[in-house]
Amino acid sequence: MWADIMKVTYCTDMDKSVIVHNFEKRGWMQVGPEDDWNFYWAVIQSCRSIFSVEAGYRMNDNQIINHFPNHYELTRKDLLVKNIKRYRKDLEREGSPIAERMDGPGKYLYLDFIPITFVLPADYNMFVEEYRKSPQSTWIMKPCGKSQGTGIFLINKLSKLRKWSKEARNPLNPNLSKESYVISRYVENPLLIGGKKFDLRLYVLITSFRPLKAYLFKLGFCRFCTVKYDTSVQELDNMYVHLTNVSVQKHGDEYNSLHGGKLSVQNLRLYLESTRGKCVTEKLFANITWCIIHSLKAVATVMANDRHCFECYGYDIIIDNKLKPWLIEVNASPSLTSTTVNDRILKYKLIDSIISLVLPPDGIPDVRWNKCPTQDAMANFDLLLDEELAAQDDRDNCNGKPKGLTSKWK
């Protein structure tokens, strides 16, 4: 009917076959960003331009784009920390039991899912105060606006930070002096498999922030370091030991291009059930869900909730040896580069599933749609949270768990 009459047009400024092939298989027609498009898969810079006040661009009802205007509230490392800290304080003021504190300042019983973090240079004095409480600990420094492991280093002595600070103020390093960093307590007791450190890369799709509608891609994976974990001072600068980023590990001598140092979440789950038991494994994945949902709630009030937008975020989570998950960072443009055959299949399914979920049943972008997909349209995604459905469940006085919450990872 209408889908047959209207030819869906798309544009993208990302040269990725997993994106283009998904559009082409739907019979969509490619156009340029200056033309009349319905679906724009854009890089962050293009979105920034479209949503800028200077551009004066107004999207119509049949246009959608793959980023929210101020996605950086979640994906910039310093802003993520700031928003989570504000969220905790807001819940405390409201008297919410979720914000219950543990013994000691700044310790939370339920909202303790990010490592202790400070923004430098602004929080330098607060960091030094915290550092002196446990001078034997290791800290990790990350530039706020960079990704793929760029500019990251570890410190275990205050003198090393002072040296960095001195270099940052050097006028001969203009780029470094303008860059703000976050410094976080390093998770020194990561869960190891085969003696190697790994993290989880999970894909979380948001179709709305108010009400919050979030979905978790079923086919997440673990990313492994190529060198066995070692906390000795000699290995402190060896990023093949400490950083799981594929962009870092693929340059190592031990990198295996067949499996790419990756393990599926499903296989991780089976491994944990066999070694730690089903009960604690279920609890771990429930805690991962909790961590994701509350990180999203922390930014929901400040996010520009444009109905033309959706976004797929790449969540990086480290599990420690007590099976506690730690949110390390959130990526606005998770890599769509395929390093293995399985990786290509996974990312093709990811894009295919995203397109199916963000479009109405007739396949035509329409911001007037209520963004409640059918079960079939959700494909490889599980519902994490739909506040609209949960509110409806409450109004209907349903018994048991609200339908607006996932049960898959509980």
Side-chain angles (χ1 to χ4, degrees):
M1 301 191 325
W2 176 235
D4 296 325
I5 299 169
M6 180 179 175
K7 186 79 169 179
V8 176
T9 55
Y10 77 90
C11 68
T12 180
D13 37 29
M14 295 181 67
D15 185 24
K16 299 293 181 184
S17 59
V18 292
I19 296 174
V20 175
H21 288 175
N22 266 298
F23 291 150
E24 289 178 343
K25 82 166 188 177
R26 288 169 165 79
W28 293 4
M29 182 173 67
Q30 185 167 14
V31 296
E34 303 301 323
D35 298 318
D36 222 0
W37 51 267
N38 300 117
F39 198 116
Y40 194 169
W41 197 288
V43 296
I44 291 169
Q45 292 80 0
S46 297
C47 282
R48 190 177 298 133
S49 175
I50 286 174
F51 289 114
S52 70
V53 176
E54 295 79 15
Y57 190 89
R58 289 181 64 86
M59 282 187 274
N60 64 46
D61 286 352
N62 297 119
Q63 289 183 303
I64 59 173
I65 193 166
N66 66 314
H67 290 289
F68 286 89
N70 59 336
H71 60 83
Y72 45 80
E73 294 285 353
L74 180 65
T75 58
R76 259 190 72 100
K77 300 173 184 68
D78 52 344
L79 294 180
L80 171 64
V81 171
K82 183 192 81 171
N83 284 316
I84 289 177
K85 287 180 178 179
R86 190 206 67 250
Y87 177 64
R88 289 166 170 169
K89 289 178 181 176
D90 288 347
L91 289 177
E92 276 189 276
R93 278 195 294 269
E94 294 168 9
S96 171
I98 293 173
E100 183 179 342
R101 284 181 179 264
M102 297 171 64
D103 293 335
K107 304 283 187 181
Y108 289 85
L109 187 59
Y110 304 113
L111 296 176
D112 180 32
F113 55 79
I114 58 170
I116 295 173
T117 301
F118 302 95
V119 180
L120 298 180
D123 297 338
Y124 180 79
N125 290 334
M126 286 191 288
F127 161 71
V128 171
E129 185 181 340
E130 184 66 33
Y131 173 86
R132 285 175 174 156
K133 293 177 185 176
S134 52
Q136 303 304 315
S137 58
T138 301
W139 296 76
I140 184 165
M141 293 271 293
K142 299 179 182 181
C144 292
K146 290 190 171 69
S147 59
Q148 298 186 327
T150 306
I152 295 177
F153 60 95
L154 275 64
I155 67 163
N156 62 350
K157 291 182 179 177
L158 208 52
S159 57
K160 191 170 182 179
L161 179 60
R162 291 192 180 112
K163 181 184 176 184
W164 167 84
S165 179
K166 185 178 179 181
E167 290 174 352
R169 290 194 298 270
N170 188 335
L172 297 178
N173 292 329
N175 293 328
L176 188 59
S177 62
K178 292 176 184 176
E179 185 79 70
S180 59
Y181 273 66
V182 291
I183 185 164
S184 305
R185 189 186 293 276
Y186 186 60
V187 180
E188 295 185 76
N189 62 326
L191 178 67
L192 306 177
I193 297 181
K196 295 177 180 178
K197 179 182 174 181
F198 68 94
D199 73 353
L200 291 183
R201 163 53 62 87
L202 303 175
Y203 298 101
V204 177
L205 177 66
I206 309 301
T207 59
S208 168
F209 274 99
R210 292 188 302 277
L212 184 58
K213 294 173 182 278
Y215 304 83
L216 179 67
F217 190 56
K218 298 174 185 178
L219 308 178
F221 54 87
C222 310
R223 306 179 299 181
F224 280 80
C225 289
T226 53
V227 178
K228 287 194 173 183
Y229 187 65
D230 188 339
T231 56
S232 65
V233 175
Q234 292 81 4
E235 296 293 353
L236 203 63
D237 296 325
N238 187 347
M239 294 300 102
Y240 298 124
V241 171
H242 298 287
L243 295 188
T244 58
N245 310 63
V246 175
S247 53
V248 172
Q249 295 295 333
K250 67 182 181 182
H251 299 295
D253 294 336
E254 304 297 321
Y255 181 73
N256 186 316
S257 58
L258 291 177
H259 57 65
K262 294 178 179 177
L263 178 75
S264 71
V265 166
Q266 290 91 333
N267 283 335
L268 170 68
R269 187 164 195 150
L270 289 172
Y271 169 79
L272 291 175
E273 286 181 357
S274 64
T275 56
R276 299 293 190 99
K278 189 165 184 175
C279 183
V280 293
T281 302
E282 290 290 334
K283 182 181 178 183
L284 165 65
F285 281 90
N287 287 339
I288 290 173
T289 298
W290 171 273
C291 161
I292 293 171
I293 287 175
H294 285 281
S295 68
L296 293 169
K297 286 187 172 186
V299 302
T301 56
V302 296
M303 200 67 75
N305 190 48
D306 194 309
R307 287 188 62 81
H308 297 90
C309 304
F310 68 91
E311 192 145 14
C312 181
Y313 297 100
Y315 269 71
D316 294 343
I317 291 172
I318 283 180
I319 304 167
D320 68 23
N321 57 15
K322 298 178 181 177
L323 294 196
K324 175 181 173 61
W326 295 93
L327 174 58
I328 302 304
E329 61 183 81
V330 184
N331 298 271
S333 294
S335 173
L336 295 176
T337 301
S338 303
T339 54
T340 67
V341 173
N342 286 339
D343 207 31
R344 177 175 169 75
I345 293 169
L346 181 149
K347 286 169 181 174
Y348 183 88
K349 287 182 177 177
L350 172 65
I351 303 301
D352 181 40
S353 300
I354 289 172
I355 297 170
S356 296
L357 198 152
V358 300
L359 292 178
D362 65 2
I364 308 295
D366 186 355
V367 297
R368 294 164 298 185
W369 178 51
N370 65 5
K371 297 190 176 184
C372 290
T374 64
Q375 195 64 43
D376 289 342
M378 286 170 58
N380 289 299
F381 277 95
D382 282 323
L383 177 64
L384 272 180
L385 174 66
D386 186 326
E387 288 181 337
E388 189 174 29
L389 288 181
Q392 181 62 51
D393 289 342
D394 289 342
R395 284 194 294 270
D396 294 342
N397 295 317
C398 286
N399 296 319
K401 188 175 294 181
K403 295 173 186 174
L405 298 171
T406 181
S407 59
K408 177 75 174 178
W409 280 39
K410 293 290 184 184

